[in-house]
């Protein structure tokens, strides 16, 4: 089947499969996306290439206007996937990025030299169609690890994907980058600057294997604001640290993580080239909000998730110990299974705090609240606490665990999910 035929499939018959697929449950909160505003200078397309499953959007192309600036952060997993290696090389080549090429269903990770050759070949094939240098194409893959990329369906559908590029295809693209996700994830925001409307829109995917050291599994955020390379790098790294670097589903860092920030520069406003630029503060605030929203959407759609959990660590002596306590609690299988059972088993939280990397912790000063209910103080169960209070607090699908270490002035928040029986089923059956 040619790429153009697959475009027709997407526009007509695809909705039959889609109605079935999007009925999957086990996610927290509403699934409806707000309007995803087009970003001037950015066009997208998504087609069903049959990379792993038939009739499922799995090949996405994002086209960038000439002069666009791109920044990226990638997984710190030593077994990084072939597309990560190639993407880093292409971004460092000095050739201006013009196209992003994303496939799902296959991670092209753990595939050795052939994997690198396949990633390069896919870039070269799209580059030939678009008449740009190979280095102007940045590749991304997500899916099963250890299997070679099926090149025939990818190459055969690049022409169709190129032909279907439109500015209003953010939602199909969000669907096209999914793997075990139960729903597409995206966010969009706008603000006024110098009489112009500045737009920031982004999509992401991620549901399992979420504990990135830099970003999330895949995230693509774009703005039409003009931004220098140095400032775009700064904006991405700082926003990533407070968003995608503060989420965890299962404590596993993917081989394929990538977070990309794009500035098309098509808005007719003054350039953001320093922190003192008038555009910097409002643009940073907008990007920060949007990336936190995207990060939260990944946690809410964690594999088998029934709870969205915010673990706030207060009055830590420094940022490192606040982060350590937050992630130690978030990664505890015993805490996560108790959350799934709506069981206020505060002893598990206490034990996790105690084994975090905090020197000379005075446990008698630590307090723990769950959804506003004081559970632990003075090194033991709070005198005012009752099991009925705990049971009521834990029934909510939104759980706030507030931990006060009473040893400093630093706060940090980590976002996570529970572990349900569905999580085990999803991951046990993932390759079948």
């Amino acid at each position: 089947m040619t790429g153009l035929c697959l475009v027709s499939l997407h526009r007509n018959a695809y909705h039959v499969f889609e109605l079935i697929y999007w009925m999957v449950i086990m996610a927290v909160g509403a699934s409806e996306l707000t309007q995803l505003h087009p970003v001037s200078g950015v066009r997208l397309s998504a087609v069903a290439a049959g990379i792993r499953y038939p009739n499922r959007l799995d090949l996405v192309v994002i086209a960038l206007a000439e002069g666009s600036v791109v920044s990226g952060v990638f997984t710190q997993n030593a077994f990084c996937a072939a597309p990560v290696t190639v993407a880093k090389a292409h971004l460092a080549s000095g050739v201006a990025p013009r196209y992003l090429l994303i496939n799902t269903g296959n991670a092209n990770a753990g595939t050795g030299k052939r994997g690198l050759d396949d990633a390069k070949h896919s870039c070269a094939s799209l580059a030939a169609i678009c008449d740009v240098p190979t280095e102007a194409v940045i590749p991304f893959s997500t899916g099963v690890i250890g299997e070679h990329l099926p090149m025939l369906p990818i190459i055969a559908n690049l022409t169709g994907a190129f032909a279907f590029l439109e500015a209003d295809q953010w939602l199909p693209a969000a669907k096209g980058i999914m793997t075990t996700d139960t729903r597409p994830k995206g966010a969009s925001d706008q603000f006024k600057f110098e009489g112009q409307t500045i737009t920031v829109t982004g999509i992401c995917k991620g549901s399992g294997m979420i504990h990135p050291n830099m970003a999330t599994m895949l995230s693509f955020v774009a703005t039409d604001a003009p931004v220098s390379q140095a400032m775009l790098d700064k904006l991405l790294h700082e926003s990533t640290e407070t968003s995608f670097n503060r989420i965890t589903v299962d404590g596993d860092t993917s081989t394929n993580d990538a977070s990309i920030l794009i500035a098309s520069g098509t808005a007719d406003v003054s350039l953001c080239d320093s922190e003192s630029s008038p555009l910097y503060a409002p643009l940073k605030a907008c990007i920060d909000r949007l990336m936190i929203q995207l990060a939260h959407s990944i946690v809410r759609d964690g594999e088998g998730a029934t709870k969205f959990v915010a673990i706030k660590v207060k009055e830590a002596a420094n940022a490192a110990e606040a982060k350590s306590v937050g992630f130690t609690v978030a990664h505890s299988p015993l805490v996560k299974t108790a959350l799934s059972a709506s069981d206020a088993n505060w002893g598990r939280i206490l034990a996790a705090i105690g084994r975090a990397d905090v020197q000379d912790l005075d446990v008698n000063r630590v307090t723990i609240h769950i959804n506003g209910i004081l559970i632990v103080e003075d090194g033991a169960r709070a005198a005012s606490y009752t099991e009925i209070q705990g049971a009521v607090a834990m029934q909510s699908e939104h759980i706030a665990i507030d931990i006060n270490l009473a040893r400093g002035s630093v706060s940090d928040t980590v976002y996570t999910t529970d572990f349900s029986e569905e999580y085990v089923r999803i991951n046990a059956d993932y390759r079948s």
Side-chain angles (χ1 to χ4, degrees), residues 21-171:
Y21 184 75
W22 298 115
M23 289 177 67
V24 181
I25 56 173
M26 301 301 286
V28 181
S31 61
E32 293 297 322
L33 285 181
T34 56
Q35 180 182 2
L36 300 180
H37 301 290
V39 177
S40 175
V42 179
R43 296 176 297 141
L44 311 91
S45 68
V47 298
I51 293 170
R52 186 167 183 84
Y53 302 105
N55 304 335
R56 177 172 171 175
L57 297 178
D58 55 9
L59 188 64
V60 173
V61 173
I62 302 177
L64 311 179
E66 191 171 357
S68 295
V69 180
V70 177
S71 181
V73 288
F74 298 88
T75 183
Q76 294 180 20
N77 192 311
F79 272 104
C80 66
V84 171
T85 299
V86 174
K88 286 181 178 180
H90 285 190
L91 285 173
S93 69
V95 176
R98 294 295 308 282
Y99 294 88
L100 311 183
L101 175 60
I102 310 137
N103 76 268
T104 63
N106 187 299
N108 193 13
T111 48
K113 182 179 181 301
R114 175 174 165 182
L116 288 170
D117 290 342
D118 287 343
K120 294 173 184 176
H121 180 43
S122 64
C123 291
S125 298
L126 180 59
I129 295 170
C130 305
D131 193 24
V132 297
T134 297
E135 292 79 9
V137 180
I138 315 299
F140 306 86
S141 298
T142 181
V144 174
I145 295 171
E147 297 181 3
H148 292 297
L149 203 61
M151 295 301 291
L152 288 178
I154 291 175
I155 302 304
N157 284 277
L158 291 177
T159 299
F162 177 73
F164 192 40
L165 288 166
E166 298 288 349
D168 63 353
Q169 293 297 294
W170 283 95
L171 179 56

Side-chain angles (χ1 to χ4, degrees), residues 317-330:
N318 53 60
E321 70 179 32
K323 184 177 177 181
S324 176
V325 169
F327 275 115
T328 302
V329 174

Side-chain angles (χ1 to χ4, degrees), residues 85-400:
T85 299
V86 174
K88 286 181 178 180
H90 285 190
L91 285 173
S93 69
V95 176
R98 294 295 308 282
Y99 294 88
L100 311 183
L101 175 60
I102 310 137
N103 76 268
T104 63
N106 187 299
N108 193 13
T111 48
K113 182 179 181 301
R114 175 174 165 182
L116 288 170
D117 290 342
D118 287 343
K120 294 173 184 176
H121 180 43
S122 64
C123 291
S125 298
L126 180 59
I129 295 170
C130 305
D131 193 24
V132 297
T134 297
E135 292 79 9
V137 180
I138 315 299
F140 306 86
S141 298
T142 181
V144 174
I145 295 171
E147 297 181 3
H148 292 297
L149 203 61
M151 295 301 291
L152 288 178
I154 291 175
I155 302 304
N157 284 277
L158 291 177
T159 299
F162 177 73
F164 192 40
L165 288 166
E166 298 288 349
D168 63 353
Q169 293 297 294
W170 283 95
L171 179 56
K175 294 177 180 179
I177 63 175
M178 294 170 50
T179 51
T180 59
D181 308 60
T182 70
R183 57 201 189 191
K185 303 171 180 68
S188 194
D189 203 351
Q190 294 178 318
F191 64 93
K192 289 287 188 180
F193 181 76
E194 295 181 348
Q196 302 295 314
T197 298
I198 303 298
T199 300
V200 182
T201 296
I203 57 175
C204 67
K205 64 85 52 186
S207 185
M209 197 177 279
I210 301 295
H211 174 224
N213 292 322
M214 37 54 60
T216 183
M217 293 189 72
L218 289 179
S219 172
F220 305 96
V221 176
T223 179
D224 51 4
V227 187
S228 70
Q229 184 70 64
M231 293 311 299
L232 197 69
D233 292 344
K234 179 179 175 62
L235 286 165
L236 176 61
H237 282 79
E238 291 183 352
S239 291
T240 294
E241 187 60 24
T242 57
S243 58
F244 298 123
N245 269 0
R246 289 299 182 271
I247 64 173
T248 181
V249 170
D250 45 27
D252 275 314
T253 298
S254 167
T255 54
N256 292 62
D257 293 344
S259 180
I260 302 298
L261 182 59
I262 301 158
S264 70
T266 58
D268 187 18
V269 297
S270 57
L271 175 69
C272 177
D273 59 359
S274 72
E275 289 188 57
S276 61
S277 297
L279 178 57
Y280 177 77
L283 181 61
K284 175 175 170 52
C286 189
I287 291 173
D288 285 349
R289 287 194 305 270
L290 186 133
M291 290 182 69
I292 288 173
Q293 185 177 344
L294 290 177
H296 286 189
S297 72
I298 290 173
V299 176
R300 293 180 185 278
D301 194 32
E303 290 175 340
T306 67
K307 309 280 188 182
F308 174 85
V309 187
I311 303 169
K312 186 168 186 178
V313 182
K314 305 175 182 178
E315 296 188 16
N318 53 60
E321 70 179 32
K323 184 177 177 181
S324 176
V325 169
F327 275 115
T328 302
V329 174
H331 289 157
S332 168
L334 293 179
V335 171
K336 294 167 83 69
T337 50
L339 288 164
S340 180
S342 297
D343 178 13
N345 193 333
W346 55 270
R348 295 180 176 182
I349 301 173
L350 202 69
I353 297 170
R355 63 183 169 84
D357 187 15
V358 180
Q359 298 299 314
D360 302 319
L361 176 64
D362 185 348
V363 298
N364 292 316
R365 301 186 66 187
V366 174
T367 61
I368 302 173
H369 290 75
I370 296 181
N371 279 2
I373 303 298
L374 177 63
I375 292 183
V376 171
E377 65 178 347
D378 299 326
R381 182 174 64 184
S384 61
Y385 174 72
T386 67
E387 287 296 324
I388 292 176
Q389 288 178 318
V392 171
M394 291 293 288
Q395 289 303 311
S396 174
E397 66 175 12
H398 294 86
I399 304 294

